[in-house]
C-alpha cells in the first residue's frame, strides 16, 4: 500500500482486494474464502525470513484463488464505483498534490499494483484525478458485453513480479526510454524490482514505506531502501523532494 493509506486512527484501510472483499455485494460464503486466503498467505508475504523466490509460488496461489473467488461473485462493471465509495480505501495525504505536480511538469508516473487495476483507478478518481501522464500496470478485470465480470486480463501481477519489463512492448514505454532519473516508492521488498529493465538509468532514489511487521523487517528495509518511512500515512517526504527538483 504505497499510494493508498495503510491505516487511519488505528484501523486498517482497505486494499484494492479488500474493497471487494468487504463489500455488501459479496456473498458471505465468498467473503469467508477470501478472508481465509488472506489469513493464510499474507503472513507469508511479509515474512522477513523467507526469500522472494520462496514466496513467489505462494503469491501466485493466493492471487489465482482470490481472482477465481471474485469472478464467482458475478460483479458488474457499475458495482466497482459503489464498492469503492462504500469502502474506507483512501490515498495517502499529499497524493493529490503529487499527481498534479507531476502532470504539470510532464513527468511520467508509472504505478505498479499487485491489486486490481480497475479498483485502484476508481480510488484515484474518487479521491483525486487520473492524469494523462499516469499509467497503471496491474490486474485488470475482464467484463463481457453485458458488463458482467468473467475473468481477469493478461498475465498475473503479484507482489514480487512488478517490473518495467511488462511495459517494454507498449506505447507508454517510448515515453520512458529517454528518462535517466527515477524516484521509486514501494512498500515491499518486491517493489525494489520495479525499475528492473530501465535502460540508461543514471540515478535512482528508493523510498520505502514500512507499514506492518515493523520490528522484524526494519533492518532489511534500511539495507534495501535509501529512505525508510515507518508508519507514515503521508507523502510529505517524497513531495518535499519533488518540490526541490521540479
Amino acid at each position: 500500500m504505497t499510494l493508498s493509506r495503510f491505516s487511519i486512527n488505528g484501523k486498517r484501510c482497505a486494499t484494492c482486494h479488500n474493497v471487494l472483499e468487504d463489500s455488501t455485494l459479496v456473498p458471505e460464503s465468498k467473503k469467508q474464502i477470501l478472508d481465509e486466503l488472506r489469513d493464510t498467505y499474507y503472513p507469508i508475504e511479509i515474512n522477513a525470513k523467507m526469500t522472494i523466490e520462496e514466496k513467489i509460488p505462494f503469491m501466485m496461489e493466493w492471487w489465482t484463488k482470490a481472482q477465481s473467488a471474485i469472478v464467482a461473485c458475478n460483479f458488474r462493471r457499475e458495482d466497482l464505483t459503489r464498492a469503492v465509495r462504500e469502502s474506507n480505501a483512501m490515498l495517502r495525504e499529499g497524493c493529490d498534490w503529487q499527481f498534479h505536480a507531476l502532470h504539470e511538469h510532464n513527468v511520467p508516473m508509472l504505478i505498479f499494483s499487485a491489486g486490481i487495476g480497475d479498483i485502484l483507478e476508481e480510488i484515484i478518481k474518487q479521491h483525486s484525478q487520473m492524469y494523462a501522464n499516469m499509467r497503471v500496470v496491474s490486474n485488470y478485470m475482464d467484463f463481457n458485453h453485458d458488463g458482467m465480470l468473467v475473468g481477469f486480463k493478461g498475465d498475473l501481477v503479484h507482489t514480487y513480479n512488478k517490473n518495467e519489463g511488462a511495459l517494454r512492448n507498449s506505447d507508454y514505454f517510448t515515453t520512458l526510454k529517454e528518462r535517466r532519473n527515477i524516484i521509486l516508492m514501494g512498500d515491499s521488498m518486491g517493489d525494489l524490482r520495479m525499475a528492473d529493465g530501465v535502460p540508461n538509468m543514471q540515478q535512482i532514489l528508493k523510498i520505502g514505506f514500512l507499514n506492518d511487521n515493523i520490528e522484524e523487517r526494519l533492518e532489511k528495509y534500511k539495507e534495501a531502501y535509501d529512505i525508510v518511512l515507518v508508519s507514515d500515512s503521508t507523502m510529505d517526504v517524497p513531495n518535499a523532494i519533488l518540490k526541490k527538483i521540479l
Side-chain angles (χ1 to χ4, degrees), residues 130-171:
M130 283 288 297
Y131 292 95
N133 64 313
M134 300 166 69
R135 174 65 59 90
V136 177
V137 176
S138 186
N139 302 294
Y140 276 89
M141 293 174 155
D142 188 14
F143 295 92
N144 65 17
H145 64 280
D146 293 321
M148 185 72 69
L149 177 63
V150 294
F152 282 79
K153 302 175 182 177
D155 296 332
L156 180 66
V157 179
H158 58 74
T159 307
Y160 297 108
N161 73 342
K162 304 175 187 177
N163 65 73
E164 198 180 12
L167 279 181
R168 191 166 299 279
N169 296 318
S170 73
D171 292 339

Side-chain angles (χ1 to χ4, degrees), residues 82-128:
R82 172 184 164 187
V84 170
R85 186 172 58 247
E86 293 179 348
S87 77
N88 70 343
M90 61 185 70
L91 298 173
R92 290 181 186 273
E93 185 179 337
C95 275
D96 190 49
W97 179 90
Q98 184 180 111
F99 297 165
H100 179 73
L102 293 177
H103 172 67
E104 285 291 299
H105 290 85
N106 198 31
V107 177
M109 183 174 189
L110 180 55
I111 304 168
F112 282 102
S113 171
I116 302 172
D118 312 75
I119 297 294
L120 177 56
E121 288 195 19
E122 187 63 33
I123 292 171
I124 292 174
K125 290 173 184 176
Q126 289 192 22
H127 294 276
S128 181

Side-chain angles (χ1 to χ4, degrees), residues 11 17 35 51 66 70 76 80 82 86 97 99 103 108 123 128 130 133 152 159 162 193 201 214 225 231 242:
K11 182 178 180 180
H17 283 95
D35 286 346
T51 67
I70 289 170
R76 301 188 64 83
L80 304 186
R82 172 184 164 187
E86 293 179 348
W97 179 90
F99 297 165
H103 172 67
I123 292 171
S128 181
M130 283 288 297
N133 64 313
F152 282 79
T159 307
K162 304 175 187 177
R193 296 182 171 185
M201 181 172 60
I214 294 168
Y225 284 97
S231 300
L242 288 172

